[in-house]
Amino acid sequence: MTEVFDIAVIGAGVMGATAALFLARGGMRVALIDRGGICQEASGVNAGTLTLHMTRAALIPHAMRGREMWLDAPNWLGMDVGARSAPGLSVAFTADERDMLEKRAAARREAGAPITLITAAQAAEIELGVNPTILAAAYCALDGHVTAYLTGRAYRQALTVAGVTLFEGEAAAGIARESGAWAVRVGAGCVRATRIVLAGGVWLEEMLSWLGLTVPIRCLINQLVVTERLGPVMRSVLGIANGLLSLKQFENGTVLIGGGWQGRGDVVRGGVEAIPDNLIGNVRLARHTVPALGKARIARIWLGLESETADAMPAIGPLPGVPDAFVVGCVHSGYTSGPFMGRLLADIVLGVAESPHAFNPARLLAAAGSSLQDSVA
């Protein structure tokens, strides 16, 4: 391909696709490259939870902006993706768990999240289905959920209207500098662009190595379970103090059970198989928290990948020592803040925002001892 785009985004998950969309709306000619389809990897198979309970305090303001974007998707994305606001409860069964919730709620309140500790009786008024033996709960009115599998169709439509050139089913295999532009190898050819954005999630470690940069990225293999349709058994987004449970019931009656219980897999093979003991533990915990789930039957189990940096903070901004190269990804509980983080990266590239200090990729390069002198720049 002889055309030189203004920018090529590698990775079409929520953050990469949002960045591509707002870069195109900012006047750039954009190429979006992904080995699969838009939002078909981690962004399309996760639990779709919108939560401030499990978001790190430092990320609360960004998660609140991301939640607002999800709920406003018909206006900026052009389509309802099933984003719904719902009360969020994180429950405690023991005194230690109650203390944990109290400390966590205080830290998040300081960052702007409206999370308060409530009694078991107050929690039962919000969520009739919750186990009556809980001691207390942390409550947030600003939780909710998105139907993750709907997002790919919405993004594709918006990206097409914005004029983004889509390279779906085209795995990027490397990057090189050629005649003052970046050349991204895809199949037998390449996509050329003046700038590049790496938005590869768990595959960022490999992508950064193409530029001579070493940044370890942890890959989590999260198990997810969905039940057959039930009558109404819950109306909130439910979790527990230790974070190993997330529960929500969709409008079609199915209940999605998550919480980060691990399966088997890796970045090369993806999610390979569930671990039976972890699956049983996850489902038992869900049934204990909402006893009515004892009547539920499991319809499907699958695995989703989640990326994490060494300090569990995102990498968003320009890559130091590598001109015209940017990165976005690895946001803890990133689905809530995902669209806002993608837009933030677009604004950084367009010169209307700066990379927050805590997200600066330079800290990860320094921590890993990566040598900028060895990069392709």
Side-chain angles (χ1 to χ4, degrees), residues 53-101:
H53 284 293
M54 298 311 300
T55 297
R56 297 191 69 180
L59 300 177
I60 288 292
H62 305 85
M64 293 175 72
R65 298 283 297 275
R67 178 182 178 277
E68 291 171 4
M69 287 185 69
W70 278 125
L71 295 175
D72 192 41
N75 289 323
W76 67 271
L77 197 54
M79 183 175 161
D80 180 7
V81 292
R84 301 291 183 267
S85 180
L89 292 173
S90 182
V91 302
F93 288 97
T94 68
D96 286 345
E97 290 178 347
R98 181 180 56 199
D99 294 344
M100 183 190 306
L101 286 181

Side-chain angles (χ1 to χ4, degrees), residues 29-40:
R29 289 175 298 115
V30 182
L32 179 59
I33 304 165
D34 198 286
R35 69 176 189 174
I38 296 169
C39 294
Q40 287 191 353

Side-chain angles (χ1 to χ4, degrees), residues 233-253:
V233 296
M234 58 184 299
R235 60 182 182 181
S236 66
V237 176
L238 263 177
I240 62 171
N242 68 12
L244 288 176
L245 181 68
S246 70
L247 278 174
K248 65 188 74 66
Q249 185 169 27
F250 291 103
E251 293 169 352
N252 65 5

Side-chain angles (χ1 to χ4, degrees), residues 38 42 58 63 73 87 128 158 170 237 253-254 258 276 285 310 336 343 352 366:
I38 296 169
L128 297 176
E170 298 277 4
V237 176
T254 60
L285 191 54
T336 307
R343 177 156 194 177
V352 296

